[in-house]
Amino acid sequence: MPLKRIGVLTGGGDCSGLNAAIRAVTRCAVYQYGATVVGIRDGFEGLLGTPRTLSLTQSMVRGLLARGGTILGSTNKGDPFAYKSVEGDRVITTDRSDEVIENFRNLELDVLIVIGGDGTNAIGWKLHKRGVPVIGLPKTIDNDLDATDVTFGFDTAVNVVVEAIDRLQTTAESHHRIMVVETMGRNVGWIAVEAGLAGGAHIILIPEIPFEIEKIVEAIRKRRAKGRNFTIICVAEGAKLKGGNAVVDKIVRDSAETIRLGGISKTLVDWLEDYNLGECRATDLGHIQRGGTPSAFDRNLATRLGVYAVHCAARGESGVLVVHKNTEASTISLGDALKKIRRVDPDGKWVKTARDIGVSFGD
């Protein structure tokens, strides 16, 4: 059957490269197949109740390549299989997946292209099993989807952190300070390890390698003994003490991701100040890592995978995630793609490279 109508949505946290993927899907669908592209607003929320859609035309996506965020909107909430709402002191969970399926059919869509991380694509997999043709695209600044070598949004986030570290290096050296830079990443340390290495951080703390305060203090004092009176520490938000837990910023009861990590940089500064090491300052980059102009790599990756997704749809593929493996685009079953989180290997090349040039991981 010819490809006539494609639905596309963005779910989960925003990142750079989403608009590039939307643009690629739209342009390829129009140029190569003469298809209509229907944008779904605010993730799966846009398929609940009365559908909220946006007609995506060539003119509509013009200029999106360099624009961060997503013109379709996104949300961390709205899982139709476990839709949460707060009523007084209670959180009510309801299965509203039938509404999504009905709206998909009423919109006369041939396929739904879902752009998201593990949570969004997990919903896509459930919909596929309910008979909705779904193709997933891998975006997340966390880079934690094991099925793909890299996700779009990650490279831009790393570049943002590297620029911040570069700026903090000069002020840290000028004032002989310890600067603690906190990155996102949830329960994996990809942003921290790659940005820390590229930015010249002296200590990198990641969830995969629990740290000890005494080891961090030792590394700082060794630098001081060599006349290096400043230290840059790059810490992932999910990093934790050996035998301890990650620092929780807050609990969001009606979200699919109820536990929000954050605050380890300030906590670490409080701990270090007890050791009379001099002035310590914390910088939490937060959502700065998500926004702004996407890097050239992310623009190209999102474009290549978006185009490949349309070709997959034209071939009748469904229930797959488009991935970047060994420099090539390919597909893997969504069910298989979501089985494993991609974590930093404590004995792998990134950690080994950092250790070989004297970087401490607090262990």
Side-chain angles (χ1 to χ4, degrees), residues 270-306:
D270 290 342
W271 289 336
L272 291 176
E273 285 181 342
D274 291 336
Y275 288 84
N276 298 316
L277 297 169
E279 193 171 2
C280 303
R281 294 289 179 88
T283 300
D284 183 355
L285 296 176
H287 288 80
I288 291 173
Q289 297 158 86
R290 292 195 175 278
T293 303
S295 66
F297 181 87
D298 275 340
R299 297 184 200 192
N300 288 333
L301 180 61
T303 299
R304 290 183 62 226
L305 299 190

Side-chain angles (χ1 to χ4, degrees), residues 243-293:
N245 298 312
V247 177
V248 176
D249 178 40
K250 61 182 177 181
I251 303 294
V252 183
R253 294 188 299 158
D254 60 340
S255 173
E257 184 185 339
T258 56
I259 297 176
R260 303 289 172 85
L261 301 179
I264 180 61
S265 57
K266 180 63 172 63
T267 300
L268 188 58
V269 163
D270 290 342
W271 289 336
L272 291 176
E273 285 181 342
D274 291 336
Y275 288 84
N276 298 316
L277 297 169
E279 193 171 2
C280 303
R281 294 289 179 88
T283 300
D284 183 355
L285 296 176
H287 288 80
I288 291 173
Q289 297 158 86
R290 292 195 175 278
T293 303

Side-chain angles (χ1 to χ4, degrees), residues 108-121:
E108 299 181 328
L109 301 177
D110 298 314
V111 63
L112 181 63
I113 294 180
V114 173
I115 309 174
D118 53 356
T120 301
N121 280 298

Side-chain angles (χ1 to χ4, degrees), residues 18-35:
L18 287 173
N19 280 326
I22 294 168
R23 172 182 179 269
V25 168
T26 302
R27 289 174 66 91
C28 182
V30 172
Y31 275 119
Q32 298 300 320
Y33 300 100

Side-chain angles (χ1 to χ4, degrees), residues 41-356:
R41 295 184 181 273
D42 302 326
F44 293 102
E45 290 266 13
L47 289 173
L48 295 175
T50 302
R52 302 195 301 278
T53 63
L54 175 68
S55 178
L56 295 174
T57 62
Q58 293 180 59
S59 60
M60 178 64 71
V61 299
R62 188 175 295 125
L64 287 187
L65 197 59
R67 185 172 165 184
T70 165
I71 61 169
L72 295 178
S74 190
T75 178
N76 285 316
K77 304 177 183 180
D79 179 351
F81 291 91
Y83 190 86
K84 295 181 179 181
S85 58
V86 178
E87 296 183 7
D89 295 330
R90 298 187 305 157
V91 176
I92 308 299
T93 303
T94 309
D95 185 346
R96 300 180 61 184
S97 57
D98 286 343
E99 295 177 46
V100 171
I101 296 169
E102 181 180 3
N103 281 324
F104 174 86
R105 291 170 179 163
N106 290 340
L107 290 169
E108 299 181 328
L109 301 177
D110 298 314
V111 63
L112 181 63
I113 294 180
V114 173
I115 309 174
D118 53 356
T120 301
N121 280 298
I123 296 170
W125 174 240
K126 291 179 183 178
L127 288 172
H128 165 74
K129 291 192 290 184
R130 292 282 308 274
V132 176
V134 171
I135 295 175
L137 285 178
K139 71 87 205 170
T140 167
I141 68 169
D142 305 331
N143 202 33
D144 60 354
L145 289 174
D146 189 64
T148 184
D149 289 342
V150 66
T151 58
F152 56 85
F154 172 68
D155 184 72
T156 303
V158 168
N159 284 324
V160 169
V161 176
V162 170
E163 182 180 354
I165 293 175
D166 287 346
R167 293 175 181 276
L168 289 170
Q169 286 264 13
T170 56
T171 190
E173 188 171 8
S174 297
H175 291 275
H176 315 304
R177 288 174 178 159
I178 299 168
M179 291 289 194
V180 183
V181 185
E182 181 174 336
T183 74
M184 285 183 161
R186 293 194 298 178
N187 297 306
V188 300
W190 285 111
I191 296 177
V193 75
E194 292 201 27
L197 185 61
H202 310 107
I203 299 170
I204 299 173
L205 306 176
I206 58 176
E208 294 86 349
I209 305 177
F211 63 86
E212 299 177 48
I213 290 295
E214 291 75 16
K215 296 291 185 181
I216 296 173
V217 172
E218 179 183 345
I220 294 171
R221 285 177 173 162
K222 281 183 178 179
R223 285 183 52 77
R224 293 277 174 84
K226 295 176 181 178
R228 298 163 189 166
N229 294 321
F230 74 101
T231 300
I232 301 293
I233 302 175
C234 186
V235 55
E237 64 181 354
K240 52 186 177 292
L241 278 171
K242 187 175 182 179
N245 298 312
V247 177
V248 176
D249 178 40
K250 61 182 177 181
I251 303 294
V252 183
R253 294 188 299 158
D254 60 340
S255 173
E257 184 185 339
T258 56
I259 297 176
R260 303 289 172 85
L261 301 179
I264 180 61
S265 57
K266 180 63 172 63
T267 300
L268 188 58
V269 163
D270 290 342
W271 289 336
L272 291 176
E273 285 181 342
D274 291 336
Y275 288 84
N276 298 316
L277 297 169
E279 193 171 2
C280 303
R281 294 289 179 88
T283 300
D284 183 355
L285 296 176
H287 288 80
I288 291 173
Q289 297 158 86
R290 292 195 175 278
T293 303
S295 66
F297 181 87
D298 275 340
R299 297 184 200 192
N300 288 333
L301 180 61
T303 299
R304 290 183 62 226
L305 299 190
V307 166
Y308 197 84
V310 175
H311 292 320
C312 289
R315 292 193 294 265
E317 291 190 49
S318 177
V320 296
L321 179 71
V322 178
V323 297
H324 180 76
K325 292 293 271 187
N326 301 319
T327 74
E328 297 294 334
S330 59
T331 59
I332 182 174
S333 162
L334 270 171
D336 292 337
L338 299 170
K339 287 180 178 178
K340 185 179 178 183
I341 293 176
R342 184 170 182 262
R343 301 183 186 277
V344 178
D345 183 355
D347 300 313
K349 62 180 181 180
W350 289 104
V351 173
K352 186 178 186 306
T353 298
R355 289 193 194 279
D356 284 349

